[in-house]
Amino acid sequence: MLATASVSVLRYENSRSQPVVRLWNDTHHVGDGIDLEITQKLIMKVLVIDIGGTHVKVLATGQKLHREFASGPALIPKRMVAEVRKLVPNWKYDVVSIGYPGPVLRDRPVSEPWNLGKGWVGFNFQAAFKCPVRIMNDAAMQALGSYKRGKMLFLGLGTGLGSALIVDGIVEPMELGHLPYKKATFEDYVGVRGLEKHGKKKWRSYVADVVKRLVAAIEPDEVVLGGGNVKKLKELPAGCRVGDNANAFVGGFRVWEKAGAGKGFARAKPPLHKRKPTQLRKRKKTKTAGTPHFALR
């Protein structure tokens, strides 16, 4: 296990579309994981909110058990904030982490969730909670809490198909669930809609096939399967391990750890379709370079 005190910096770096998080320690190596003892080591008290399609779960620094309430198509952000406040009236916290079921850019949702109410885009969470708030994709938050080393693909089998990729400590939220598959998308077959439509046996075969396809394309060192429906699998596909849903809270605490509360956060790059064209330039040849290398500028 990675000792909490060994992590010295946690910061955002530039990403192609969303903020990403990188974990550093003194040797630039990310360790073998972390547990909820991190909640006792932080320099501030954190409230973590994990927003799902069926439930909203919350946990704060120093608390041993999470609390939850039902979500669903009627849940709007104003009601979510009110329900959280009502659920934990005596919990003390200085900052808030939110795992959001959709793409996020610069701590703000950029599209409305299909399985919740409207009004999430443009909502001022910091004003609502009256404290600093960090928002990241919910799958990315659970992936961050599940990460050990190397190149890890996270797939969340829940209401939809959450996904995130971590490479050497860099967390990149992804939207693999929307890729085409058979007559619809991955999400339509391995999300809750696919489970209800096709039944457990067929759904399990789809999960195995989707994992196999994504592993062949991405070539991760390991795959972590999370989400509420992972327990419905009889056996795990090769190279997979189960990620505890509590790791979403670990990821939420990690976002604020150490320097995460202070300076040094780079602005994320805008989405590709909003960027200006870039030019390629040749890098200077080195003694060992057999062919020219190119870099974006």
Side-chain angles (χ1 to χ4, degrees):
M1 298 293 287
L2 172 66
T4 305
S6 70
V7 180
S8 58
V9 180
L10 182 61
R11 70 188 182 203
Y12 282 105
E13 293 188 349
N14 288 338
S15 165
R16 292 190 298 273
S17 60
Q18 301 184 45
V20 295
V21 180
R22 184 157 195 172
L23 291 170
W24 297 75
N25 62 17
D26 295 336
T27 60
H28 293 259
H29 170 73
V30 179
D32 296 339
I34 200 164
D35 58 33
L36 288 179
E37 289 180 2
I38 187 174
T39 66
Q40 305 292 342
K41 304 283 186 176
L42 296 173
I43 59 175
M44 65 188 69
K45 295 181 179 179
V46 183
L47 174 67
V48 182
I49 304 172
D50 184 20
I51 303 174
T54 56
H55 292 88
V56 175
K57 301 177 182 179
V58 298
L59 183 69
T61 304
Q63 300 294 326
K64 294 182 179 180
L65 299 175
H66 81 271
R67 298 180 184 178
E68 63 182 59
F69 59 89
S71 59
L75 185 69
I76 59 175
K78 186 175 180 180
R79 180 188 159 204
M80 184 276 290
V81 174
E83 290 288 343
V84 168
R85 290 184 176 279
K86 185 169 67 174
L87 189 65
V88 294
N90 299 319
W91 286 9
K92 305 297 182 182
Y93 52 90
D94 305 304
V95 295
V96 175
S97 294
I98 298 177
Y100 177 76
V104 176
L105 179 65
R106 296 170 186 162
D107 289 313
R108 292 182 180 275
V110 296
S111 67
E112 300 289 346
W114 64 268
N115 53 355
L116 301 176
K118 304 298 181 183
W120 299 85
V121 176
F123 185 81
N124 193 333
F125 291 92
Q126 186 161 308
F129 282 105
K130 299 180 181 179
C131 67
V133 176
R134 291 230 169 97
I135 306 175
M136 65 188 302
N137 173 265
D138 57 347
M141 192 164 77
Q142 188 170 347
L144 179 61
S146 305
Y147 183 65
K148 291 185 177 181
R149 65 176 76 82
K151 187 177 182 180
M152 185 198 83
L153 174 64
F154 174 84
L155 299 173
L157 301 174
T159 307
L161 176 65
S163 56
L165 183 69
I166 305 184
V167 182
D168 295 332
I170 295 287
V171 183
E172 180 63 72
M174 305 180 82
E175 294 293 332
L176 298 177
H178 302 311
L179 292 176
Y181 178 66
K182 296 185 181 292
K183 297 180 180 180
T185 66
F186 284 136
E187 192 166 76
D188 290 307
Y189 282 86
V190 301
V192 70
R193 292 193 300 271
L195 177 61
E196 293 173 350
K197 181 178 179 180
H198 302 288
K200 283 186 182 180
K201 185 176 181 180
K202 198 68 176 176
W203 174 80
R204 288 168 182 154
S205 69
Y206 288 141
V207 170
D209 185 52
V210 167
V211 170
K212 183 179 178 180
R213 289 169 183 261
L214 293 177
V215 167
I218 298 173
E219 297 183 329
D221 297 322
E222 67 170 348
V223 178
V224 174
L225 298 180
N229 288 333
V230 69
K231 59 188 177 184
K232 292 181 171 62
L233 294 174
K234 276 190 173 181
E235 59 183 19
L236 294 176
C240 295
R241 65 178 170 91
V242 174
D244 194 318
N245 286 339
N247 287 338
F249 296 123
V250 179
F253 292 125
R254 274 183 160 178
V255 169
W256 289 100
E257 187 181 7
K258 203 80 174 180
K263 301 177 181 179
F265 285 80
R267 292 175 64 85
K269 292 182 180 179
L272 282 175
H273 69 279
K274 292 186 179 180
R275 288 198 223 165
K276 294 180 179 180
T278 55
Q279 294 181 338
L280 289 174
R281 60 180 174 82
K282 287 186 178 181
R283 284 182 177 170
K284 292 182 180 180
K285 290 184 178 180
T286 62
K287 292 183 180 180
T288 58
T291 57
H293 294 278
F294 295 88
L296 293 174
R297 69 177 177 185

